[in-house]
Amino acid sequence: MNKTVELVKLWGDYEEKNPGCNLDDFFRHQLMAKAADEKKATPDWQLRPGINGKLMILIRRIGKYHMVYSNKALEGTGLDQIEEFGILATIFNQVNPIKSEAIYNNIIELSSGTNMLNRLKKRELITEYEDIDDKRIKRLKLTALGEETLGKAKVRVVEVARMMTSALSEEDKQLCFQLLNPVSEKFDGTFQKFKSKSFDEIFEAMIK
């Protein structure tokens, strides 16, 4: 069958079963169908996560690989770990934020983030100063060495990102971002907001 004719037929069958659908829905359906066809058999005795668990495992594994290779790539740049790069980038991009903003923007516990800021300050990568309007507030600023270090580290971080996504086409990358960004947006700001809440309270608030 001609590929164009086959595509039109697939679309027609899908549209008939799903009135009001659009092309984005159709292409997602096709991707899901392909994934289902490629599903491997698993012995009955093994623990088998559902689709939610599989997705979280996949994201977590990719995240761990990214952290391992990012930390290795940062060797010799003046930074010890990818979280330090995130802190410096936040200070640079947000133009001298307060400490808590830099810490929570990187989803780090306040105590751990404060210790990290102290280490960066000792290495003369950042400095702090009093806010003009409120002397109780301390703002963060990159030193000249900090900006130079951030520039060097950025080159390596970009290389890691390129390596980690090299198996995907540009179209696949855009699709992944489109599909996963709403998840990130839903949880933005909740790290600090739910700090004192139990998981059951968080679950109830987020699952609505």
Side-chain angles (χ1 to χ4, degrees), residues 86-102:
I87 288 284
L88 293 187
T90 297
I91 296 173
F92 180 81
N93 289 333
Q94 293 192 0
V95 189
N96 310 340
I98 62 177
K99 289 182 177 180
S100 59
E101 290 174 341

Side-chain angles (χ1 to χ4, degrees), residues 39-40 42 48-61:
K39 183 179 179 180
K40 296 180 180 179
T42 305
R48 292 180 288 181
I51 187 61
N52 295 333
K54 288 179 180 179
L55 184 57
M56 290 300 100
I57 291 170
L58 177 61
I59 292 174
R60 185 172 68 248
R61 286 180 64 85

Side-chain angles (χ1 to χ4, degrees), residues 59-163:
I59 292 174
R60 185 172 68 248
R61 286 180 64 85
I62 293 173
K64 287 186 175 182
Y65 283 130
H66 178 253
M67 183 172 292
V68 168
Y69 293 126
S70 292
N71 292 345
K72 184 175 288 292
L74 289 173
E75 293 175 1
T77 65
L79 299 181
D80 297 330
Q81 52 188 317
I82 190 62
E83 290 88 351
E84 292 181 344
F85 175 83
I87 288 284
L88 293 187
T90 297
I91 296 173
F92 180 81
N93 289 333
Q94 293 192 0
V95 189
N96 310 340
I98 62 177
K99 289 182 177 180
S100 59
E101 290 174 341
I103 292 171
Y104 288 128
N105 184 71
N106 287 275
I107 319 178
I108 302 174
E109 291 286 351
L110 185 61
S111 57
S112 300
T114 300
N115 290 335
M116 186 176 296
L117 289 175
N118 289 336
R119 292 195 298 270
L120 293 172
K121 186 177 178 182
K122 283 184 179 180
R123 281 146 57 190
E124 300 183 346
L125 298 176
I126 65 173
T127 185
E128 61 181 48
Y129 64 93
E130 292 182 346
D131 183 84
I132 298 176
D133 300 320
D134 189 343
K135 302 299 182 182
R136 297 170 298 176
I137 296 177
K138 297 287 187 180
R139 292 195 171 274
L140 301 171
K141 181 180 180 180
L142 297 187
T143 63
L145 178 59
E147 290 192 11
E148 180 183 348
T149 300
L150 180 62
K152 290 179 181 178
K154 177 188 174 183
V155 174
R156 304 296 279 169
V157 169
V158 169
E159 288 177 340
V160 173
R162 179 184 174 191
M163 180 184 75

Side-chain angles (χ1 to χ4, degrees), residues 160-177:
V160 173
R162 179 184 174 191
M163 180 184 75
M164 292 293 302
T165 59
S166 60
L168 301 173
S169 68
E170 291 302 311
E171 291 78 9
D172 287 341
K173 295 173 191 177
Q174 291 291 342
L175 178 59
C176 287
F177 185 84

Side-chain angles (χ1 to χ4, degrees), residues 168-206:
L168 301 173
S169 68
E170 291 302 311
E171 291 78 9
D172 287 341
K173 295 173 191 177
Q174 291 291 342
L175 178 59
C176 287
F177 185 84
Q178 180 184 357
L179 293 176
L180 292 176
N181 192 52
V183 178
S184 177
E185 289 181 341
K186 181 174 182 178
F187 284 89
D188 281 349
T190 61
F191 184 68
Q192 184 178 6
K193 176 183 176 183
F194 292 141
K195 184 175 175 61
S196 61
K197 302 289 186 180
S198 69
F199 173 74
D200 288 339
E201 291 175 308
I202 297 172
F203 181 85
E204 183 176 353
M206 296 303 296

